[in-house]
Amino acid sequence: MPNRPEDAASQPTTPDRPFSPVIALLTVSSVWDSHLGAALKPLGLTTRKYGLLAHIRATPDISFSELARRSQITVQTAHTAVHALVDDGMVADGTAIPGAPSHLRMTDKGAKALADADARLAELDAGLSAQAPAFAAALKGMHEEPVGGQ
């Protein structure tokens, strides 16, 4: 795969442009987000929809508010993305009554798409880990306890 993670960290530094781990991490993140997006596209998913489906799988009957909180997006953004998943037949809203709390559940179609997406993610994880094992190891645990997270 192009743009190995080490490439972002090896950008030339000068006295007026010192190495920035933040910029390096953002560059690496952008590259791998692009790879994941390309892997998910044939499944009708984006990285955001993939994350939302994973949260819905983990917590059946989750509300839009809780889904938005866990995804660190606005409730309106969650509504928009979930409605697209409902339209695609991947999610069902057990309530769907205006003003009533929603109870979101994944459908069989959503479960299949999520399983396929998980397999594609595993392939990408293996590729990144093989290309940059020290980098992959350094990232372990950061998802659960992000640096500077809240």
Side-chain angles (χ1 to χ4, degrees):
M1 298 202 172
N3 298 327
R4 296 176 356 158
E6 297 87 13
D7 294 344
S10 66
Q11 293 296 316
T13 58
T14 63
D16 61 318
R17 185 182 164 100
F19 169 75
S20 170
V22 171
I23 296 301
L25 187 57
L26 289 172
T27 301
V28 170
S29 174
S30 177
V31 169
W32 285 93
D33 182 56
S34 175
H35 289 304
L36 180 58
L40 296 176
K41 188 173 183 175
L43 303 174
L45 295 174
T46 62
T47 53
R48 174 165 288 157
K49 288 179 183 178
Y50 172 67
L52 293 172
L53 270 180
H55 284 305
I56 293 168
R57 173 181 57 193
T59 311
D61 291 328
I62 193 169
S63 68
F64 279 102
S65 297
E66 180 62 15
L67 186 60
R69 186 189 68 73
R70 289 186 188 182
S71 302
Q72 299 182 350
I73 59 176
T74 66
V75 173
Q76 180 60 38
T77 300
H79 271 278
T80 301
V82 169
H83 284 299
L85 290 168
V86 169
D87 291 345
D88 290 341
M90 295 186 198
V91 170
D93 184 345
T95 307
I97 300 170
S102 293
H103 298 281
L104 303 172
R105 289 188 166 266
M106 197 167 41
T107 64
D108 289 342
K109 182 178 179 181
K112 168 115 176 57
L114 192 55
D116 291 345
D118 287 343
R120 291 171 187 219
L121 175 61
E123 290 177 18
L124 289 173
D125 285 340
L128 175 61
S129 294
Q131 287 182 10
F135 181 72
L139 293 173
K140 190 168 184 157
M142 292 185 95
H143 175 73
E144 292 81 17
E145 296 291 330
V147 175
Q150 298 178 21

